[in-house]
Amino acid sequence: MTKNTFPTALDLPEVDPLPEATQKYFDVCSEKLGLVPNVLRAYAFNIDKLNAFAGLYNDLMLAESGLSKLEREMIAVAVSSVNRCYYCLVAHGQGVRELSGDPELGERLVMNYRTADLSARQRAMLDFAVKVTEASFRIEEADREALRATGFSEHDIWDIAAVAGFFNMTNRVASATAMEPNPEYHTRNR
Amino acid sequence: MTKNTFPTALDLPEVDPLPEATQKYFDVCSEKLGLVPNVLRAYAFNIDKLNAFAGLYNDLMLAESGLSKLEREMIAVAVSSVNRCYYCLVAHGQGVRELSGDPELGERLVMNYRTADLSARQRAMLDFAVKVTEASFRIEEADREALRATGFSEHDIWDIAAVAGFFNMTNRVASATAMEPNPEYHTRNR
Amino acid sequence: MTKNTFPTALDLPEVDPLPEATQKYFDVCSEKLGLVPNVLRAYAFNIDKLNAFAGLYNDLMLAESGLSKLEREMIAVAVSSVNRCYYCLVAHGQGVRELSGDPELGERLVMNYRTADLSARQRAMLDFAVKVTEASFRIEEADREALRATGFSEHDIWDIAAVAGFFNMTNRVASATAMEPNPEYHTRNR
Amino acid sequence: MTKNTFPTALDLPEVDPLPEATQKYFDVCSEKLGLVPNVLRAYAFNIDKLNAFAGLYNDLMLAESGLSKLEREMIAVAVSSVNRCYYCLVAHGQGVRELSGDPELGERLVMNYRTADLSARQRAMLDFAVKVTEASFRIEEADREALRATGFSEHDIWDIAAVAGFFNMTNRVASATAMEPNPEYHTRNR
Amino acid sequence: MTKNTFPTALDLPEVDPLPEATQKYFDVCSEKLGLVPNVLRAYAFNIDKLNAFAGLYNDLMLAESGLSKLEREMIAVAVSSVNRCYYCLVAHGQGVRELSGDPELGERLVMNYRTADLSARQRAMLDFAVKVTEASFRIEEADREALRATGFSEHDIWDIAAVAGFFNMTNRVASATAMEPNPEYHTRNR
Amino acid sequence: MTKNTFPTALDLPEVDPLPEATQKYFDVCSEKLGLVPNVLRAYAFNIDKLNAFAGLYNDLMLAESGLSKLEREMIAVAVSSVNRCYYCLVAHGQGVRELSGDPELGERLVMNYRTADLSARQRAMLDFAVKVTEASFRIEEADREALRATGFSEHDIWDIAAVAGFFNMTNRVASATAMEPNPEYHTRNR
């Protein structure tokens, strides 16, 4: 079916054949994740754009940070919930289910993170990320102080802002192009 | 004064000394722009993050595109106006003034792009970028069709979405960290 | 754990023992659904309130109507998504998955119904229900005409309004009392 | 005139003749209220729906409760004001005027309840009801604690939530169907 | 009671004695209206401010215009309804009841002007006034064209904008100072 | 070009010749400001309206007050920023630049006043003016107390409310008529 084989509403076919490095990257995805995320396929009409996107994504979500990988996925989902982004809620909702081992937590962050039983640290983190999403122009020093008060470092605050910012970008690219998530996410870690 | 010498409210000093490639990049900025944009200094506490950010920025704003560089700056300002991001309005407002040679146009996009005397193409472009910013979850095929109807290609639509998305990210990182623009922007191209 | 055994944040224990008719009703639920929905347990501190609620629910969701049971569940989820009601999204999201046999459809309605591939009829139905939810005071004759234009009868329009209205009630009762859904819903029909 | 004799914009005539019990109920209304509320006439196209609605209404507004009947009418009006529901503001605005003996109070709740000179208890009650109406997903334990702090019991909190929820339903059914209030309400208790 | 004898929450007593011209103006009000509107008493702490306010008010509401006095009162109420201004809804709601001889019309404009049975001209007029109130920055030539299409002249459009603008001012001054309307308005023209 | 020579989108030519007093007023403007503000030209189709407007403007912005002229211009810009009024942001942004001698301050108030380094007094003043603009119906005694707590008198609070109210009027008249600012403002005090 078209809907599942072509990842956006735009007629932008993948470079064919893919450059060797890209093909290798996609092969690693297939092996480790069991799929090539459609967002990567969507960008693959232009390898420079794919690399720039993937470079930023990998730094934010996978590099060393005071935030755990789960916490970064939690931000992804809480932000995507405000923006009602189908792609990111499906893909990163699965991420939270997998990394937390708690499927209900994934559902709570998709639907309304305020119902989740979070630590003060994680609640402050998501409150900041959600405020950044809803009304970034209202963020002031008091908001950063609330993060410091639950133990976040200056680096951590940067990372919260950067991850929240990133999903405000990718939510919009996904919604603007009607990007479709890989259907495999739905059944995993339920 | 602290406010102008340290670019955000976070205590994240630049790597010192900067790696040679970074120093060269900053030197090129100084030469060509007369300044090193504070956003780059803000990211320079971590060179991987700086490079990932700059890689994406340079692809979006400077690479080949069906959108002119001015048009990409126009999107930057219209998006930043919705988000009321001081850093980006100052920096990219100057960009519009410079690239258009029309200082009033810069002001109109900062204040209310609906007052600008735009071509149908550019109006459609900004309407899409602003809707993506205000309520991306409401974007549907009809919105993409409106872009196609004024002559935008599939690649162009991607680029509009990607640039609008990018400034929704960077507006939030800037506001979340109280990033301060270089004061030099204010007086230029008035 | 308290959270799963007591259905709301209010200390309102069930009538004990339950009246015979209520116990029978709960036994039927257990048999047919494999659970007694927590919303019924939540109301069981007062049998008159339970009966009044269940009476209205059963009429709206189970009685004869020009809307199929699936369509009524679709309205329930689209409305609950606007209101970000955890209880109703979990319970009725499962309902859509089960009645449609299409787990993705359930997810789409939870996250953003605009991404679902709906018939014109069902899209008009959900557009009306969502407008009723977001800004009922803006509904005018043109909105009802849009329903008639896709084939809905006067009875059907009443039912759409009534079901959308009902979930605007129950979403608010659930959120106001921190009502918790039965955990069994999560794993079903994935 | 059609507008006053037919209670909604939908062509759904009353069952004719009405069942005896319904006719008796309407006769009692006429005697005690001097009118049959149009909402009952509107539902009378289907007696099961009428009974389910009336059953819930009567339990919420007339049964024993820690909230006085006036307080329940106050919630009705404050909620209906947020939703700008003409039917409910007319009918329940009159209810507040009558039960309070204070016509100005009715007007204040219709227009802006914040201008009324309320007890701390009643102000907390309406603040909760209005927050439940505007953004139920933001209700948290602190909101319930604010009610307990002014003396409301667990039962009372349920009742506040249930009455506020109910009018969020009925406001929407009324606006969605253009339900017209009985004109007699306007002149009463001025 | 203080609330009715002192017209705002600010301790700003009237000039005492009032200048002769002001006293005469107030006497005329008493004779013709049966009261001195509290807004005039509120401004009477400074006669220059009173005169500047009254000068603008009288030009807008009483001078020659293509809009009838009733139409200007209708705009006043529709705007004040968006802003939920108690003072202006009470005072100008009475104005609509009196000038129209239709008490229900006054209530409809207070509660939700969309329920009123208006001419195309008056509906267009109120739609424009309400859009000017809710989001003036979204007004464009198409909005003015909609007024011209129902027969409004250039002068009339100015007057609609000016009256709508004026009540956006006075609503805010009234709410910001907790200005109380004369209680006499409530019972009139019911 | 039409756009710069005719100050609004409405075809309302100036009275010709202007009455002597008006011509003198315009001559004084030309001398002192180097221009006749377009808002005055826009009103000059009707000298009574011009005088009523100018009378109120001059009282609010130029008469004796506990607020400095700069502070009144600051309110003008902060309010106009919420309303995204091109005319007022251009004209009063220049006013802040000139009276403060701080061009950046003008830009900050146009873009997001929360980024400005304000005294507690001026921050409280702008917070009040912005709340009056965004949601005047939510203003309560606590908001006025916050002004008193930073030293504002009863007269000052009136003036803050009155200036904020005034720009909520004039922003709307300007946007509703597409009023164009004099281009000379752009280059001044940069």
Side-chain angles (χ1 to χ4, degrees), chain B residues 112 114 123 130 134, chain E residues 136-140:
Chain B
N112 184 357
R114 294 167 194 84
R123 178 61 195 257
V130 164
E134 292 182 336
Chain E
S136 51
F137 64 94
R138 294 193 198 273
I139 295 278
E140 299 203 52

Side-chain angles (χ1 to χ4, degrees), chain C residues 4 11 21 111 148:
Chain C
N4 289 332
D11 186 11
M111 293 168 178
R148 291 180 186 117

Side-chain angles (χ1 to χ4, degrees), chain B residues 15 17-19 22 26 43-53:
Chain B
V15 171
L18 290 168
T22 304
F26 282 16
Y43 270 97
F45 73 92
N46 179 311
I47 302 303
D48 287 346
K49 291 187 189 307
L50 172 61
N51 290 342
F53 173 81

